[in-house]
Amino acid sequence: MRLQTLGENFVGVTQLPYNTSDYEIIKLNELGVKAIRFNVNRGDSEDISRLDYLARRVYELINWHTELYIDSNSLTEITTIVEKLPSVSIDHLGLSKSGFTNLLSLVDKGVRVKATGFGRIDFDAEEAKKVLYKNALNWYLKISV
């Protein structure tokens, strides 16, 4: 299915190898793709070692954000990179309850979290959304003062 057939309210997210040309990235942007995804949890995407390079490259080139499909237990390994990226979100509430505090520490630094894929998580989504909202609000109030 072509993205354009869905209408103007839909955008695409893609996985790309690090050596994708600027021309190809710009073309995808023109077709409605607006983000790049690193599928760390399931694999089959660009290696996480290229996260900083590729996330900054697509942001500087066409203002895309980066999405991370990652178990929040694995965030400690890449926290210093993630918190410095220009625009990033963590998918599916970080997937695991045991790593939720790792996720919250990034929210405290302005990282966004997508409240999606509730069937993929191992905890109560409603409670997690309340906690995330409170933390995000606290972060926003800190930077607004």
Side-chain angles (χ1 to χ4, degrees), residues 44-63:
D44 207 26
S45 70
E46 184 55 72
D47 190 89
I48 196 71
S49 66
R50 302 202 194 269
L51 171 63
D52 188 58
Y53 166 77
L54 195 50
R56 290 180 187 284
R57 181 170 165 229
V58 297
Y59 183 80
E60 291 168 8
L61 183 63
I62 47 172
N63 206 35

Side-chain angles (χ1 to χ4, degrees), residues 72-145:
S72 53
N73 285 304
S74 300
L75 288 171
T76 55
E77 301 163 17
I78 59 170
T79 294
T80 56
I81 294 169
V82 172
E83 65 189 18
K84 294 177 184 173
L85 292 177
S87 183
V88 62
S89 65
I90 310 292
D91 287 341
H92 311 310
L93 297 167
L95 297 170
S96 67
K97 183 178 184 174
S98 60
F100 196 69
T101 55
N102 300 333
L103 186 71
L104 289 177
S105 71
L106 287 170
V107 169
D108 287 341
K109 294 180 173 107
V111 171
R112 295 182 201 133
V113 176
K114 287 189 172 186
T116 59
F118 300 150
R120 299 174 185 181
I121 64 175
D122 67 2
F123 54 96
D124 180 15
E126 290 303 314
E127 185 60 33
K129 289 188 298 182
K130 290 175 188 174
V131 171
L132 284 166
Y133 178 77
K134 181 181 174 188
N135 280 46
L137 184 59
N138 288 339
W139 172 79
Y140 178 76
L141 292 173
K142 279 191 271 185
I143 66 159
S144 297
V145 176

